[in-house]
Amino acid sequence: MDTSSPLPSRLATGDLASASVKAVLRSIDDSRQPDPDRIAMAYRSDRLLRIDGESPSVWSPYSAFWRAADGWLRTHGNYPHHASALCRGLEVPADATADDLRSVFAAASVRESVDRITDAGGLAVEVGREKPDHDAALRARPLVEIRRMGADAPPRSHASSVPAAPLRGIRVLDLTRVIAGPVCTRTLALLGAEVLRIDAPHLAEPEWQHFDTGHGKRSVLLDARSEQMNALLKDADVVVLGYRPAALGRLGLSPDVLADRRPGLIIAQLSAWGLEHPDRAGFDSLVQAESGIAMIESPDGERPGSLPAQALDHSAGYLLAAAVCETLARRSREGGTWHISTSLRRVAAELLGMPRRDEPHPEREIDPELHSQTFSVAGRTVVTAAPVLPGFSFAAPRVWGGDRPLWRSPHTVRV
């Protein structure tokens, strides 16, 4: 009996991934079964990605585990502004090396370093142990919460006559970054929705990251407080939010405000730590570290480890996409304005409640050519993971920020 796994870990990473993808298929009444190897490749898509034959540099040296005087901490500095804040908080030069940081962390307590970094606007957490009571309390709530909001609206039909594009005619505003939110909107685009990703002109985005999750979307640089944004919102069916809740409030894009401005809207919201922590930013790696996952996956019981993929991100993205599909169908029957939410921390609690192994499965090798697609993007050859939904193919990702802020497809939703 083959006990190997393409996503080897002590925790049930492969089972979580499979369940998350199957949720999307159920949401569109598709009974086909996804390929576990293809799911694994999609969850590890950053390892498969090639741009003109080269593998992009994914992790910054400022994103790592560090040993402190009394334990371990995890930092995240992939974005330049987070790396700058980390260096500023630690009072080291902006070009500090990993050795420089290692010395600073070793001389201080975990709490001292975490506080200094976060007070400066950077990202760091203590590597913690599992918290069973807290996780059980999180699991007592739905994995993805769906609630009807106050702004009423009549039923809106979106039935598509094209089986390969069940969301054709649906318009989605994508206000997300990094992995989880973009995976959600990439999945909605795969199912036929018109997805328009909106990014602030002053916030940079790594090219590789957009190529990895930008399939089938158009990409626009636009001030979220502009009149053009209001015009786009007026004709949107779905808005997917991936920024901190407090930041959305400052931009006038909180779910309550959006619902008042656009009755009938479906608002899908993703956060790292949950809506009860509106000011707290985070990433998959930080949630793994603080929730206890990193120590469960330790290679030796001393050093923290990690899941074989950014599985919290990818799972949250697919689960959110499934909930959007389900809620679109519900809106066509009942009408209403809807709010959908989940968090990486809630997904982590789900994983921590699943059966686990004393030791990881042996890793099963996969031929990446069987699970990839190749595109030409503005003269670049881009190889990415293929979609996990059987029978669907990605449209090419586009150049980040290269499109106009206009809807282009006919709006087929009927009241």
Side-chain angles (χ1 to χ4, degrees):
M1 178 179 176
D2 183 8
T3 61
S4 62
S5 169
L7 290 171
S9 58
R10 291 184 176 86
L11 294 171
T13 307
D15 291 340
L16 174 68
S18 178
S20 302
V21 171
K22 288 178 180 177
V24 179
L25 291 167
R26 284 197 305 273
S27 75
I28 58 171
D29 296 323
D30 191 325
S31 61
R32 288 175 290 188
Q33 294 297 307
D35 181 337
D37 287 354
R38 180 157 291 196
I39 293 174
M41 292 305 297
Y43 269 57
R44 301 172 113 174
S45 58
D46 57 323
R47 305 183 191 190
L48 188 151
L49 183 67
R50 299 290 184 274
I51 302 173
D52 289 336
E54 300 292 329
S55 300
S57 178
V58 172
W59 289 103
S60 159
Y62 298 140
S63 297
F65 291 109
W66 307 94
R67 188 188 290 274
D70 59 348
W72 291 87
L73 67 151
R74 171 80 195 202
T75 59
H76 196 287
N78 278 14
Y79 283 104
H81 61 290
H82 290 149
S84 296
L86 182 148
C87 293
R88 188 168 60 251
L90 296 176
E91 299 180 351
V92 299
D95 59 352
T97 67
D99 286 339
D100 295 332
L101 296 181
R102 196 171 290 111
S103 297
V104 172
F105 287 128
S109 69
V110 169
R111 179 47 48 195
E112 181 182 358
S113 292
V114 168
D115 287 347
R116 291 173 68 185
I117 292 169
T118 55
D119 288 349
L123 295 173
V125 299
E126 179 177 0
V127 175
R129 297 285 177 177
E130 188 175 359
K131 306 169 185 67
D133 291 344
H134 181 60
D135 292 320
L138 289 173
R139 289 193 296 273
R141 296 162 48 184
L143 180 53
V144 182
E145 298 192 46
I146 303 174
R147 66 181 178 91
R148 190 163 180 160
M149 302 185 73
D152 204 5
R156 300 168 62 84
S157 173
H158 76 281
S160 169
S161 60
V162 182
L167 298 189
R168 179 168 292 181
I170 293 295
R171 290 172 167 173
V172 178
L173 276 180
D174 176 0
L175 280 73
T176 71
R177 305 188 84 195
V178 197
I179 300 175
V183 165
C184 169
T185 54
R186 181 185 68 184
T187 304
L188 300 177
L190 181 68
L191 296 174
E194 179 182 359
V195 178
L196 198 58
R197 172 164 164 165
I198 308 295
D199 283 279
H202 67 281
L203 289 178
E205 181 76 354
E207 179 186 55
W208 72 265
Q209 195 158 267
H210 182 63
F211 284 159
D212 192 38
T213 57
H215 304 76
K217 312 175 194 179
R218 286 183 298 128
S219 171
V220 173
L221 302 183
L222 185 67
D223 187 331
R225 292 161 289 198
S226 67
E227 283 306 313
Q228 187 62 56
M229 182 69 177
N230 289 334
L232 293 171
L233 178 64
K234 180 181 177 181
D235 290 323
D237 299 291
V238 179
V239 175
V240 184
L241 305 173
Y243 292 85
R244 282 178 295 139
L248 291 168
R250 290 191 291 270
L251 291 170
L253 295 173
S254 68
D256 288 338
V257 170
L258 291 174
D260 287 341
R261 290 164 61 185
R262 178 72 167 93
L265 191 65
I266 293 172
I267 302 156
Q269 186 170 15
L270 177 87
S271 60
W273 304 101
L275 300 181
E276 59 271 32
H277 301 285
D279 271 311
R280 194 176 184 197
F283 293 92
D284 184 308
S285 58
L286 299 179
V287 176
Q288 286 191 41
E290 188 173 283
S291 66
I293 290 174
M295 291 312 300
I296 291 171
E297 297 294 345
S298 168
D300 55 13
E302 169 61 26
R303 293 172 295 145
S306 61
L307 297 175
Q310 301 289 285
L312 308 180
D313 265 327
H314 286 271
S315 295
Y318 290 119
L319 291 166
L320 203 65
V324 168
C325 293
E326 292 169 0
T327 307
L328 281 165
R330 188 171 179 182
R331 187 185 69 172
S332 71
R333 300 189 303 269
E334 304 175 20
T337 305
W338 298 87
H339 181 243
I340 304 166
S341 63
T342 192
S343 69
L344 302 185
R345 186 61 184 87
R346 175 62 185 86
V347 176
E350 194 72 13
L351 179 60
L352 287 162
M354 297 171 72
R356 62 185 71 171
R357 295 169 56 90
D358 291 335
E359 293 296 333
H361 294 84
E363 183 167 4
R364 183 168 76 247
E365 295 295 329
I366 304 173
D367 182 353
E369 292 188 6
L370 298 177
H371 306 289
S372 65
Q373 280 192 253
T374 302
F375 307 95
S376 178
V377 184
R380 315 285 296 281
T381 299
V382 179
V383 179
T384 75
V388 295
L389 303 186
F392 290 87
S393 294
F394 282 137
R398 297 169 66 86
V399 174
W400 181 75
D403 292 296
R404 299 176 62 197
L406 298 170
W407 297 115
R408 69 179 179 187
S409 64
H411 200 192
T412 60
V413 173
R414 298 176 296 278
V415 176

